[in-house]
Amino acid sequence: MAAAVRAARCLPSLRGVPAGHFWSRQLAHSAFPAASALSSKTGTLSSGTLSPWGPRDDGHFTSLSRLLQTQCCVSSPSTLLGQQLRPYSFFTKLTAEELWKGALAETGAGARKGRGKRSKKKRRKDLNRGQIIGEGHSGFLWPGLNAPLTKNGVVQAIAQRSKEEQEKVEADLFQQREEWDRKRKIKVKRERGWSGNTWGGMSLGPPDPGPNGETYEDFDTRILEVRNVFNMTAKEGRKKSVRVLVAVGNGRGAAGFAIGKATERIDAFRKAKNKAIHYLHYIERYEDHTIFHDISLRFKRTHIKMKKQPRGYGLRCHRAIITICRLIGIKDMYAKVSGSVNMLNLTRGLFQGLSRQETHQQLADKKGLHVVEFREECGPLPIVVASPQGALRKDPEPEEEVPDVRLDWEEVKAAQGMKRSVWAGLKRAAT
Amino acid sequence: MAAFRVQMSLWKFLMGSRGLEPVCNQAVTQLKPSALLQPLPLPLAVGLPRRWLSSGAESDTSKIKKPTFMDEEVQNILIKITGLNLEKIFKPAIQELKPPTYKLMTQAQLEEATREAVKAAKVRLKMPPVLEERAPINDVLAEDKILEGTEMAKYVFTDISYNIPHRERFIVVREPSGTLRKAFWEERDRVIQIYFPKEGRRVLPPIIFKEENLKTMYSRDRHVDVLNLCIAQFEPDSTEYIKIHHQTYQDIDKHGKYDLLRSTRHFGGMAWYFVNKKNIDGLLIDQIQRDLTDDATCLVQLYHMLHPDGPSAQEAREQGAEGIHLIKVFAKTEAQKGAYIELTLQTYQEAFISHSAAS
């Protein structure tokens, strides 16, 4: 310890470093190999600049930095201006690990039970980054440490850099550390789902490969809902759990959904993803872009009314239905959700309704008649879409003047022009 | 011609007495029964009477009248070779789409629906008229030198009464030099479009009818669109209409893209043009290659109807040729690419034989 103190006393302090910054304690910069064992304990405390903890944490750390400043410098009286360098202080008695543990305060009553505020979270920073054993303020070149050991087979002697060179080297290191801090500060742009702060509509990538080597590379998963649910336990009281509803699909008719629950959000994502891939529905599509016919269903208290649309119409539906339809591969549809909008019931109802579609072939077989399509743009041309595989019956389908269909009051109002809604017929971005 | 002069003097008198009024009802009602015969041709059912007029002198020499476009036999042949491809005739039009409707039908109902579609298709395939080019109007009604220099622009006076056919409307132009003349055909068309706008027609012809743009359209195989636009814009007997149609037909012939017009209403006009120009080789080859030998024979028959004095017609009459033999006779005698036609016929016959042998 005393040797280290002596060694540290030999170290000149840094000049030209702006106030409020930390400077490097070059404890390892000693010629004595005995000191190296010591430096391993205390040598971890050296740093470049301290200010970039992150913009939020400035306030918390200026006091700390100032404290460290005053403590860690030897006041060689004439040359330094308030910069102190202490070779032996509280900070030299503990490892960096312990010091950070104290500074970050991750454990404690404040952290438990969800009491920790997001803004109070501090991040650890490695202060020894960029440090080379052998580099010091005096600028000695130690062969084997910061200079090559042999040159042309001749073992080199200890040399010293010139003042300008040393200044340059130190400035370079300083610049490098600043660069690293700047890089760390850059905010990475992350993809957003239905809106900025929600997990709905975000993609989780393909599900993990199965145990027998099957990969699901062409499947995409989308989160539909993330909810924090709580459960009362005997010991801790309110215990938080994250419940995630996720849908997977490959865009070619195969899709499924599942919920996953875990304490951590990422675990819940993973569980849901891998569960959903085991519960796939195959949904028949007409010409790969829309449903076969209009569907109106009620699942528990959720009413969904889906309408078939021609190509180019896009998906004009609830955002969750848009996400699910994209995963299935439906490109043009209109859907209206009324009643409850509970995400789980909505998804369940949607999948149930889409799975129970009647394809044209099934309809033809059931009725024993040709299914003939008439398009406006093609004039009076009849296009036979499906013919019965069994017998074709001779008697035609009875047609009444007034069709025996249950009318929807909302639709009737819209058709009669009685609907005074600002949201009807609103122009939005495509799909 | 005398009657015409009488009309003109009457007209001049009326114009002079009433001043230059744009609307002159009375004059119209008086002149309507003796409507201007020349240079305005009568609409649609033109061919026969005019041909009578022109060939009145030589009626003694040739008893057989030359068949016209509107003859029943000619029309039948042209309709037959046009074909009736329902898929192509009812191609999806570019319009706002609505979801399709579905019906459950028995076989009988389906056939009924197909018949309805065929009827609608036949209406769509009605051929636009093929007329001769109209003679330009060069008729001066009055020369008033006293008015020279008073005005800086031409004035166009139109009779906009609702119940006159456009062909009989009076449209006159007073030039800055003082001459009062009848409006030219182009001016007439423009002015009538201003006062009585027709859907699809623009006042000034769109730039798509310029040479470069037409070439671009041809390179993109959009001959049908060009012809449809032309029909919408110009009158059937105007110079541009005929010129554009002939240009389109020539381009099709040059590249052999006859199939573009098959099952459209323009095919008949194209066939008529080629037969009149004695240039049916390309069309024949195309028909034989697509296994439409009946259509090819009909075309050759039409050719013989129009040119009965030609060598191939005479040969055919001598030999009493029928069917493919007729085409061979034509190929031997009058065709430019006779060898090619025979080669194609041979290949077709071989293919036919091998196919029938196989099946």
Side-chain angles (χ1 to χ4, degrees):
Chain A
M1 212 45 171
V5 171
R6 254 179 273 127
R9 220 171 255 154
C10 307
L11 300 172
S13 55
L14 282 177
R15 292 156 226 272
V17 177
H21 281 216
F22 224 39
W23 52 91
S24 52
R25 285 200 34 141
Q26 288 126 23
L27 275 177
H29 183 70
S30 85
F32 310 116
S36 60
L38 207 57
S39 60
S40 65
K41 185 179 178 234
T42 50
T44 45
L45 185 67
S46 70
S47 79
T49 53
L50 190 55
S51 54
W53 280 115
R56 297 164 257 156
D57 300 307
D58 261 337
H60 305 288
F61 271 94
T62 39
S63 51
L64 194 58
S65 58
R66 242 175 266 133
L67 184 69
L68 290 167
Q69 251 172 269
T70 48
Q71 284 205 344
C72 289
C73 189
V74 164
S75 40
S76 301
S78 52
T79 44
L80 297 175
L81 302 142
Q83 287 173 345
Q84 301 179 36
L85 199 66
R86 278 170 221 284
Y88 184 68
S89 70
F90 163 74
F91 297 97
T92 61
K93 291 181 198 155
L94 302 166
T95 59
E97 191 71 43
E98 290 163 358
L99 285 169
W100 279 116
K101 187 157 163 276
L104 298 176
E106 274 152 3
T107 46
R112 265 176 280 155
K113 286 202 189 173
R115 289 194 205 105
K117 313 278 179 266
R118 274 173 295 197
S119 49
K120 291 234 168 86
K121 190 169 174 179
K122 298 148 198 166
R123 267 194 288 158
R124 189 182 275 226
K125 184 180 167 194
D126 179 17
L127 303 172
N128 287 333
R129 200 173 170 196
Q131 196 184 47
I132 304 172
I133 304 278
E135 280 298 331
H137 187 67
S138 16
F140 280 97
L141 290 165
W142 309 99
L145 290 178
N146 60 346
L149 185 63
T150 54
K151 190 173 172 185
N152 304 330
V154 176
V155 177
Q156 301 218 300
I158 301 166
Q160 191 182 22
R161 287 203 197 99
S162 61
K163 261 223 167 57
E164 300 79 27
E165 252 185 65
Q166 181 54 25
E167 270 171 21
K168 189 168 159 305
V169 164
E170 280 170 6
D172 278 341
L173 184 63
F174 183 70
Q175 290 295 327
Q176 182 66 276
R177 285 189 170 148
E178 287 227 301
E179 173 76 34
W180 283 328
D181 285 328
R182 231 179 298 130
K183 279 243 166 82
R184 190 200 246 208
K185 253 209 250 185
I186 292 170
K187 229 178 180 170
V188 179
K189 210 161 197 172
R190 70 161 200 180
E191 208 185 273
R192 63 184 172 89
W194 296 332
S195 87
N197 197 24
T198 179
W199 284 99
M202 289 202 57
S203 174
L204 289 174
D208 303 327
N212 298 329
E214 57 264 6
T215 49
Y216 306 107
E217 293 308 319
D218 50 337
F219 278 86
D220 182 34
T221 54
R222 295 265 164 179
I223 304 173
L224 293 173
E225 191 193 39
V226 170
R227 194 180 279 204
N228 292 336
V229 293
F230 293 85
N231 175 37
M232 288 303 250
T233 48
K235 290 199 177 167
E236 307 143 29
R238 283 181 86 217
K239 185 168 173 200
K240 187 185 101 162
S241 177
V242 183
R243 185 182 80 186
V244 176
L245 173 66
V246 136
V248 299
N250 69 348
R252 290 196 293 270
F257 67 98
I259 47 165
K261 241 161 81 155
T263 320
E264 285 300 314
R265 198 174 49 212
I266 20 180
D267 294 329
F269 287 159
R270 184 185 39 84
K271 281 188 186 176
K273 218 169 51 166
N274 298 331
K275 193 168 156 194
I277 203 74
H278 294 297
Y279 288 85
L280 290 177
H281 302 253
Y282 182 73
I283 291 159
E284 300 274 357
R285 295 165 293 159
Y286 171 71
E287 289 192 358
D288 289 350
H289 75 100
T290 188
I291 47 180
F292 277 96
H293 51 82
D294 294 355
I295 306 168
S296 45
L297 63 104
R298 176 181 61 108
F299 181 84
K300 293 195 181 179
R301 300 290 344 141
T302 309
H303 299 259
I304 311 178
K305 193 175 175 73
M306 291 179 263
K307 285 196 189 147
K308 176 194 175 95
Q309 295 296 343
R311 255 182 232 278
Y313 184 83
L315 288 163
R316 294 187 206 179
C317 331
H318 190 277
R319 60 191 186 182
I321 301 185
I322 292 181
T323 321
I324 298 173
C325 283
R326 281 214 192 107
L327 290 171
I328 297 169
I330 292 174
K331 295 170 195 100
D332 311 283
M333 198 176 75
Y334 171 80
K336 172 90 184 99
V337 178
S338 1
S340 158
V341 197
N342 182 291
M343 194 59 73
L344 185 56
N345 290 340
L346 177 73
T347 326
R348 280 181 71 186
L350 184 71
F351 271 94
Q352 204 185 72
L354 288 174
S355 318
R356 289 185 186 174
Q357 270 183 95
E358 196 181 20
T359 62
H360 291 317
Q361 189 59 55
Q362 286 168 356
L363 180 64
D365 294 336
K366 186 178 91 174
K367 296 272 180 176
L369 296 166
H370 293 293
V371 177
V372 180
E373 183 186 72
F374 288 94
R375 286 178 182 245
E376 284 271 334
E377 59 267 17
C378 289
L381 178 72
I383 310 169
V384 178
V385 185
S387 297
Q389 278 157 351
L392 181 65
R393 62 170 220 237
K394 294 275 170 62
D395 53 314
E397 184 85 5
E399 237 187 65
E400 308 113 37
E401 296 99 38
V402 182
D404 185 23
V405 178
R406 198 173 200 146
L407 292 172
D408 185 23
W409 175 231
E410 294 293 321
E411 284 204 341
V412 169
K413 268 211 299 198
Q416 297 292 319
M418 290 158 62
K419 198 160 189 173
R420 284 173 288 107
S421 162
V422 287
W423 300 108
L426 183 70
K427 278 202 174 173
R428 291 175 213 253
T431 312
Chain B
M1 280 315 266
F4 183 64
R5 283 287 147 83
V6 163
Q7 290 166 31
M8 284 328 301
S9 57
L10 198 60
W11 170 244
K12 247 167 112 172
F13 164 71
L14 282 161
M15 289 303 288
S17 61
R18 283 157 161 272
L20 293 156
E21 281 175 87
V23 182
C24 38
N25 276 315
Q26 274 196 350
V28 168
T29 45
Q30 281 181 26
L31 289 169
K32 218 164 73 171
S34 54
L36 306 154
L37 272 178
Q38 271 185 349
L40 293 166
L42 295 168
L44 276 190
V46 163
L48 221 49
R50 287 200 13 255
R51 291 227 182 258
W52 270 121
L53 276 165
S54 53
S55 61
E58 348 135 14
S59 55
D60 298 318
T61 47
S62 53
K63 281 283 166 74
I64 316 158
K65 323 181 279 284
K66 197 159 178 214
T68 61
F69 187 70
M70 303 310 300
D71 276 350
E72 215 185 290
E73 295 171 12
V74 173
Q75 283 288 305
N76 285 345
I77 294 178
L78 291 174
I79 289 171
K80 184 158 177 260
I81 57 177
T82 308
L84 199 76
N85 183 7
L86 285 177
E87 306 281 313
K88 190 170 169 187
I89 296 169
F90 291 116
K91 208 167 61 152
I94 298 171
Q95 61 179 65
E96 194 178 326
L97 296 171
K98 271 169 53 180
T101 46
Y102 292 90
K103 280 208 178 105
L104 291 159
M105 289 181 164
T106 57
Q107 190 65 29
Q109 280 172 322
L110 182 65
E111 278 156 21
E112 173 68 38
T114 326
R115 260 173 280 144
E116 297 288 315
V118 164
K119 258 201 280 184
K122 287 206 170 110
V123 168
R124 280 206 197 185
L125 287 182
K126 185 160 184 298
M127 292 183 221
V130 175
L131 306 166
E132 285 199 357
E133 218 175 297
R134 54 196 178 188
I137 311 173
N138 289 319
D139 216 6
V140 172
L141 301 173
E143 292 264 2
D144 295 317
K145 289 288 173 210
I146 202 169
L147 295 166
E148 193 161 343
T150 47
E151 303 289 341
M152 303 305 296
K154 288 189 248 183
Y155 283 85
V156 179
F157 298 96
T158 326
D159 177 8
I160 54 169
S161 337
Y162 194 67
N163 53 352
I164 329 171
H166 290 315
R167 296 276 166 156
E168 293 158 25
R169 235 169 246 289
F170 283 108
I171 303 178
V172 294
V173 175
R174 172 76 79 181
E175 303 253 347
S177 65
T179 32
L180 183 69
R181 61 166 173 86
K182 284 216 190 109
F184 301 134
W185 281 115
E186 297 80 24
E187 289 167 352
R188 281 188 73 89
D189 285 337
R190 283 208 316 264
V191 167
I192 289 171
Q193 177 60 17
I194 292 172
Y195 291 116
F196 303 97
K198 200 165 154 190
E199 205 189 319
R201 199 177 275 210
R202 312 271 292 252
V203 177
L204 297 166
I207 48 169
I208 203 159
F209 295 116
K210 294 223 175 90
E211 285 301 324
E212 323 73 58
N213 299 329
L214 279 180
K215 282 202 184 49
T216 324
M217 290 288 266
Y218 294 152
S219 68
R220 291 185 191 179
D221 286 354
R222 293 184 64 181
H223 301 78
V224 183
D225 297 325
V226 167
L227 291 175
N228 285 335
L229 286 166
C230 179
I231 291 175
Q233 182 64 35
F234 302 113
E235 294 284 308
D237 51 359
S238 65
T239 352
E240 298 94 0
Y241 178 98
I242 294 172
K243 189 178 96 162
I244 291 171
H245 272 69
H246 288 194
Q247 209 178 343
T248 315
Y249 298 148
Q250 277 158 12
D251 187 83
I252 291 177
D253 188 37
K254 196 166 81 166
H255 299 286
K257 296 178 183 170
Y258 305 97
D259 202 45
L260 287 171
L261 292 198
R262 211 166 257 133
S263 287
T264 60
R265 56 183 177 153
H266 310 288
F267 196 84
M270 182 179 76
W272 181 254
Y273 171 75
F274 287 142
V275 172
N276 278 5
K277 283 201 80 182
K278 301 194 175 185
N279 192 11
I280 58 172
D281 300 345
L283 188 52
L284 272 176
I285 294 167
D286 182 75
Q287 280 173 330
I288 300 169
Q289 276 173 344
R290 286 176 206 270
D291 290 344
L292 300 163
T293 36
D294 308 321
D295 294 355
T297 36
C298 288
L299 187 63
V300 178
Q301 275 171 6
L302 182 67
Y303 184 87
H304 290 164
M305 268 191 347
L306 269 173
H307 307 282
D309 310 323
S312 79
Q314 286 165 352
E315 266 286 324
R317 247 174 287 147
E318 277 168 40
Q319 295 187 10
E322 289 295 321
I324 300 181
H325 198 49
L326 195 62
I327 310 176
K328 286 195 187 143
V329 161
F330 174 79
K332 268 186 225 120
T333 48
E334 266 195 64
Q336 276 108 9
K337 302 186 211 164
Y340 204 16
I341 298 178
E342 284 177 5
L343 188 66
T344 334
L345 260 177
Q346 236 179 354
T347 350
Y348 163 74
Q349 273 177 323
E350 280 165 25
F352 185 65
I353 292 165
S354 64
H355 185 74
S356 51
S359 61

